[in-house]
Amino acid sequence: MGQPVATRVAATPTVGKAMLNKYARAFFTRVLTPFAAFLIRRGVSPDTVTLIGTAGVVAGALVFYPRGEFFWGTVVITLFVFSDLVDGNMARQLGRSSRWGAFLDSTLDRVADSAIFGGFALWYAGHGNDNVLCAVAIFCLASGQVVSYTKARGESIGLPVAVNGLVERAERLVISLVAAGLAGLHTFGVPGIQWLLPVALWIVAVGSLVTLIQRVVTVRRESAEAEAAAAQHDASQGSEAAK
């Protein structure tokens, strides 16, 4: 999901950015430019495309995944992924950049993530009949939100939070959605492939925990360094004033 290009670059990677590498994004951006221009002529705003894209991801996750239809759910989510490219393309053509766009983008990213892992949890709590995997999916949902919060909170108090975590948002989504799509092939007669999703959820859960620890440790170190630098600055200022 997205907004004006200037804010999208600085924002957390979205579902589309997670699933499409830079070369694929460049290709589809060129392909989707005429469609983006058509929407602009029709008076459709990038915000509207962002909202529709998020609604599609949420619907794909919460309608299909709780019923165990992982293949078709992933197909629907993938189709709506392209809204991320369309709204960014529209913003570039309009020459817009706004803090509101960055806020909306980031907020709806959290909604989409929650729907995806919530869909997994609903399946395992229901017909999937596996309370352990339900708990793992819920942990993936919660830890993903906290991992994002730690960076946002650290930056809000003036720290760079300069760390590349083991499993950040892009990795969480790629691992989970690819595994879900492949696991869904079990309904088409592919044997044993349904175990890919449980394995992926465990990988995401452990990786998210490691990433959370990495970010907390980084913020603690950066905070101590900032406070030490501030204390040194105050001391030097005091000595200068005493002269």
Side-chain angles (χ1 to χ4, degrees), residues 70-236:
F70 297 117
F71 177 79
W72 292 115
T74 303
V75 168
V76 171
I77 290 172
T78 302
L79 291 175
F80 280 97
V81 156
F82 290 101
S83 68
D84 181 53
L85 302 178
V86 173
D87 59 13
N89 194 305
M90 292 171 67
R92 282 192 295 274
Q93 293 188 44
L94 292 169
R96 293 180 182 173
S97 176
S98 70
R99 292 181 178 85
W100 162 249
F103 172 81
L104 182 66
D105 180 69
S106 181
T107 300
L108 294 184
D109 283 349
R110 307 287 84 76
V111 173
D113 290 1
S114 298
I116 290 169
F117 289 104
F120 294 146
L122 288 172
W123 162 250
Y124 287 115
H127 295 296
N129 195 27
D130 193 319
N131 289 336
V132 173
L133 287 175
C134 175
V136 172
I138 292 173
F139 179 82
C140 290
L141 189 163
S143 61
Q145 306 299 314
V146 176
V147 164
S148 296
Y149 174 79
T150 54
K151 186 173 181 65
R153 181 58 178 151
E155 291 175 343
S156 74
I157 58 176
L159 300 175
V161 196
V163 58
N164 291 322
L166 179 64
V167 177
E168 297 189 344
R169 185 168 188 266
E171 290 78 15
R172 291 197 303 271
L173 292 172
V174 169
I175 293 169
S176 302
L177 293 175
V178 169
L182 292 175
L185 295 176
H186 178 69
T187 59
F188 296 93
V190 180
I193 201 167
Q194 71 272 20
W195 293 106
L196 283 177
L197 181 55
V199 170
L201 289 175
W202 276 108
I203 291 173
V204 171
V206 173
S208 296
L209 178 60
V210 172
T211 303
L212 177 59
I213 293 172
Q214 288 176 306
R215 288 193 173 178
V216 170
V217 169
T218 298
V219 169
R220 186 177 187 278
R221 174 179 53 79
E222 292 176 348
S223 177
E225 291 172 352
E227 290 172 1
Q232 184 177 5
H233 175 73
D234 291 342
S236 63

